Amino acid sequence: MGMERWTWRWRWRWERFYSGFCTIPNSSISQPDSVQLQYVFTLCARGQLQEALSLFYAINKPNSQAYATLLQGCARHRCLDQGRALHQHMLAHSHDPDLFVTNHLINLYAKCGCLEVARQLFDQMPLRNLVSWTALITGYDQHGRSDDCFRLFSSMLAHHHPTEFAFASVLGSCNCIRGRQVHALVLKTSFDTYVYVANALITMYSKNLGCDGAWAVFQSMPTRSLITWNSMLAGFQLCGYGAQSLDLFSQMHSDGIGFDRATFLSVISSLCSDDNDVVLGLEHCYHLHCLALKTGFVSQVEVATALMNAYSKLGGDVSECYWLFNETSGCRDVVSWTGIITSCAEQKPEQALLLFRQMKWEGLNPDCYTFSAVIKACAGLSTECHGSAVHAQVIKVGFEEDMVLANALIHAYARCGSICRSEQVFNRMEFLDIVSWNSIFKAYALHGKAVKALQLFEQMNVQPDAATFVSLLTACSHAGLVDQGTKIFDMMIQNYGIYPQRDHFACMVDILGRAGHLLEAEALIYKMPMEPDSVVWSALLGACRKHRESKMAELAGRKLMELDPKNSLGYVLMSNIYSSEGCFHTAAFIRKEMRGCRVRKEPGLSWIEVENQVHEFASGGQRHPQREAICAELEVLVGKLKGMGYVPETNSALHDIGEEHKEEQLFYHSEKLALAFVVMNSGRVCDWKTIRIMKNIRICLDCHNFMKLASDLLQREILVRDANRFHQFRGGLCSCSDYW
Ligand code: ZN
Ligand code: ZN
């Protein structure tokens, strides 16, 4: 009793001493070593490793227990240097590490990634036990040395029965064949009843062999922990089984299992799987959002960011993302900033750039993912200046070599109309992957430069994929290269063994149809091995419109209405065909049907940037505050162009449909308004060489004629990006040679 009190007093005094000064104690204070050692253990248990070490080095006779405890602390906190110093101290004081201490040394070196040192110690051991083997196996697994891990595990079997930890580690680094072998051993040794091992089996199966094996293990488990459920959820997410993941989550909910952050993150991520319906996915996203609010998980930055990413991937409202982002104020990190920038990138690119600036004001450094999101936003803007400003920052922070960013820049510059800068980025890249090649082909296609794309294809030194051929075929279709397009299509199948998908067929139908080979295009559709989708039919419909072929158009229009009842193109075209043939009743019926299906035409919108401000114009001009002045300016412009031979295309029976509302007057198409606005402000923008207009849908024949003449009248280059491609109007001509 007396001894205990004494110890307690000393411990209390040591505690006071250390929490006050945390310095190395004066070794002249002669305290019994055992007391000091006791205190080393206490400090270690509290996680005060530095203080524990300082005290330890002042002790005259350290013992194995102390070394072991401290080594364990170093391993836990991944303090390799301190651990190494302890090891040296041990050797210098000729304290021969016993089995117990050596195991701790192996554990330390293995955890910190010094696997060679750990292995050396392991090999030199005169005697090893189960812990020695398991420590090294775990180390190999944690540092991705799967071959070494499996080999060591196999040699272990000659000496010991594995522990559950050894099983879990080896399963973590198994491929499918080894995984099955280990599973067999698990069953033989009855380790399948250990939750820890079964969880590892679930993860191993879903990583290597799809979800069936994982599901079988999951179902056979008599008891499951939360980690089991999370592993299965993560497995479904990994395999892209969004629906199953959601089902499992609702089962967890009804079984009263509860959930944690990892559960939430897996389920939210699985909302964006390909097999999920977008509308349904968005609904689930709202539910999970509510649940996160109720349970308070929403305030955790990872959960909020995951929800934000799900909303933006599912095309949800940006304001929801904004709300979530504001929830995380106080603990925002680069990941959550990147999340909100990504959410805005497509729908609100200017907003994304603003947020990017704000993030930097708050002193956070963007990473590759942030830059990738901002570059994506730049692709949605009308001028290349934002793209080049971000590009400059990418170079400044040393990400220039990053392939993902370079690929994104190729795309962004092309979208902003600067194909030269796209080429520059592409040519400067040291390494090119399939995405780099596909990006440059896509850029050429967007600019109608099919010949360049085909020439570059000859130099391609990476195996092309399906997307490569979509870009090449698109380029051919934009340039009217029928023979080359057909050659590429055949080459894809014969030389590269790539089986054509719907996209490839749609391109071919487009190529043949636009060039006037309508019957061949139709025949190709009937030859398709899969059911043609709405994209294929609308390609044929577009061709029929161009060549005023009403019979075939009727067929294509019907198919389009069946397959894509929300798409206005089929309805509008059909009603126009009927009214042009005098069947006004039928035409009216189709329009009524369209309204009944709540099909709304996408309004024609154009954007231009004047003095760093983006102006939006809607067809009809309702959206702009200076509507009157713009319309007056437009009238003057139309008058001048008429003097140059401009005749408005009022025959809109077969063309012009699908581009703008028929009832809206041709004169007030959004791109014409945008051009009038530029002319109005030409005093402020006189240094512009090029007038850049962006448009959400395709340019109509009338506007195309209008722009050609306007480029001649104004003596300026006019660059119009429509939904499909670029039109570069110069001196009365367009780069598309009227082929679009
Ligand atoms: Zn138009
Ligand atoms: Zn054109």
Side-chain angles (χ1 to χ4, degrees), residues 179-242:
R180 281 191 200 278
Q181 289 172 345
V182 177
H183 190 186
L185 188 66
V186 165
L187 291 172
K188 216 171 127 188
T189 49
S190 304
F191 265 100
D192 55 324
T193 50
Y194 284 71
V195 176
Y196 199 61
V197 177
N199 293 349
L201 274 169
I202 291 175
T203 308
M204 184 279 294
Y205 272 112
S206 37
K207 254 195 337 207
N208 298 305
L209 291 151
C211 280
D212 292 344
W215 183 238
V217 175
F218 179 82
Q219 280 186 311
S220 69
M221 286 171 78
T223 49
R224 303 181 186 116
S225 68
L226 181 57
I227 297 172
T228 318
W229 291 84
N230 284 351
S231 306
M232 198 58 236
L233 277 176
F236 280 142
Q237 188 225 326
L238 200 70
C239 302
Y241 291 176

Side-chain angles (χ1 to χ4, degrees), residues 704 727 729 734 736 740:
H704 200 266
H727 298 268
F729 300 96
C734 180
C736 74
W740 81 96

